[in-house]
Amino acid sequence: MTAEQRRSRISARLHEAHQPISATALAKELGVSRQIIVGDISILRAEGTQIFATPRGYIMPQEA
C-alpha cells in the first residue's frame, strides 16, 4: 500500500465513523506505526481535509 492509498483509507475510515478513532487503532488496522498515522493526518489536514483531534481520537465533521 502506498502512502497515498493509506491516507485515502484513513480519510474514508474517519468519514464513515460515528465516534472518534485513535491513531493507535488506525495504525493497527493499517499495519503501520502510530507516528505514521499522526503524520498522515497532518498531511491530510494540510491538503484541506477537516479532521479534528479529540482526547478519544480523530473525527471528521458529519455533514447534515
Side-chain angles (χ1 to χ4, degrees):
M1 173 183 309
T2 67
E4 190 71 31
Q5 290 170 326
R6 188 179 58 247
R7 286 191 290 274
S8 178
R9 294 214 16 214
I10 292 168
S11 183
R13 184 78 173 82
L14 290 174
H15 185 70
E16 68 189 19
H18 297 288
Q19 58 189 17
I21 305 174
S22 71
T24 301
L26 288 168
K28 285 181 183 178
E29 284 181 32
L30 298 172
V32 296
S33 72
R34 182 184 106 18
Q35 192 56 39
I36 293 293
I37 299 298
V38 170
D40 284 342
I41 295 289
S42 294
I43 291 169
L44 287 167
R45 285 175 164 168
E47 292 173 347
T49 304
Q50 285 194 323
I51 299 174
F52 301 108
T54 73
R56 295 183 56 216
Y58 294 108
I59 58 171
M60 291 178 93
Q62 299 296 319
E63 296 179 19

